[in-house]
Amino acid sequence: MKARLLIVKKLLEISFLIFALFVVSEACAATQQVSLLLDSAPSGNGSYNDICANGLKLVREKYHTTLMTKIYAPDNTQSDPREILLDAAKNSAFVVIAGYIYPTYLPEAVSAAPNARFLVANGDADKLTGVTRVTFRDEEGAFLAGALAALATNQSDFLKINDRRAAGIVLGVKADAMERFEKGFRAGVRYIDKNKNTFCDYTGSFSDKDAAATAAAKQIGDGAGVIFVAAGSAGEGVIILAKSDQ
């Protein structure tokens, strides 16, 4: 999975740089803004949001004389995704949408800022002028995780592996990318052992660590010996639980 994460990181970084080139080529002498929209602020723990922020950092370092960059995420001063997207669209030449809470409002944003360009990473997006959608094959990495989880549950000498030999996956907001993770993980488990139980829970958040920990605790109670988590910073709750005495 580390290799998979590095590939996704490089793809995101390249996506930022390619689209930045389009912006630069049309910017002339004027300074343009490239904005990144996230569901939650980068946490510094190497999560998906951090990877996206690093891509934006590369753009800033490479084109600092031509481009300004800004990260948008819900906070105490602005929490409405519609308002965040409209604000970014009206003040940016290029908007990267890396969160799941914004695409619903894209038609309005395109209408309000017809000269802005939008890149939607791993999210739903209608076919609109100026909007490009980039989708990664999340199910492939999740398949490997599922296969590995199934193999690990058969190892009686592994710490905390129980006799029920089940595997689990904890995900964030239920959206296309998360569902691809689920399908890939389940397929990987079935590939190793079609009779092995697989549990799946969505936390409904990429930041609620308690919800992720609760979901993991439920799966452990149901017999999961190995749990794969793809829930952003919320996933830390699962890691903390795994390190505990439970």
Side-chain angles (χ1 to χ4, degrees), residues 3-62:
R4 174 66 181 171
L5 187 62
L6 289 173
I7 292 171
V8 172
K9 178 179 179 180
K10 290 302 179 185
L11 286 172
L12 283 168
E13 291 175 350
I14 291 169
S15 295
F16 274 100
L17 290 173
I18 290 174
F19 279 87
L21 283 171
F22 282 116
V23 175
V24 170
S25 67
E26 297 180 357
C28 299
T31 300
Q32 302 289 300
Q33 178 167 301
V34 177
S35 296
L36 169 64
L37 274 62
L38 302 171
D39 286 344
S40 59
S43 59
N45 63 356
S47 67
Y48 173 76
N49 287 346
D50 290 317
I51 293 172
C52 292
N54 286 338
L56 189 66
K57 180 181 177 182
L58 285 179
V59 172
R60 183 171 63 250
E61 292 174 349
K62 191 171 183 65

Side-chain angles (χ1 to χ4, degrees), residues 163-182:
D163 294 333
R164 286 181 278 182
R165 314 296 191 198
I169 180 170
V170 175
L171 300 166
V173 177
K174 193 165 188 177
D176 284 354
M178 293 292 97
E179 290 180 339
R180 290 196 295 273
F181 269 112
E182 178 187 355

Side-chain angles (χ1 to χ4, degrees), residues 195-226:
N195 296 315
K196 192 177 293 294
N197 287 330
T198 305
F199 307 112
C200 177
D201 288 281
Y202 289 85
T203 66
S205 167
F206 288 109
S207 58
D208 191 338
K209 299 176 185 178
D210 290 337
T214 299
K218 173 179 173 293
Q219 292 182 6
I220 292 171
D222 290 338
V226 176

Side-chain angles (χ1 to χ4, degrees), residues 101-182:
I101 60 177
Y102 305 103
T104 299
Y105 310 104
L106 257 176
E108 185 178 358
V110 170
S111 177
N115 294 323
R117 293 191 178 191
F118 301 84
L119 170 66
V120 182
N122 268 343
D124 297 324
D126 296 329
K127 291 183 178 180
L128 301 168
T129 301
V131 177
T132 299
R133 178 179 176 181
V134 177
T135 303
F136 301 108
R137 295 185 179 275
D138 308 287
E139 66 275 13
E140 293 180 353
F143 178 93
L144 296 177
L148 181 60
L151 290 170
T153 59
N154 292 331
Q155 303 299 312
S156 58
D157 56 337
F158 279 15
L159 184 65
K160 298 187 180 182
I161 296 294
N162 57 56
D163 294 333
R164 286 181 278 182
R165 314 296 191 198
I169 180 170
V170 175
L171 300 166
V173 177
K174 193 165 188 177
D176 284 354
M178 293 292 97
E179 290 180 339
R180 290 196 295 273
F181 269 112
E182 178 187 355

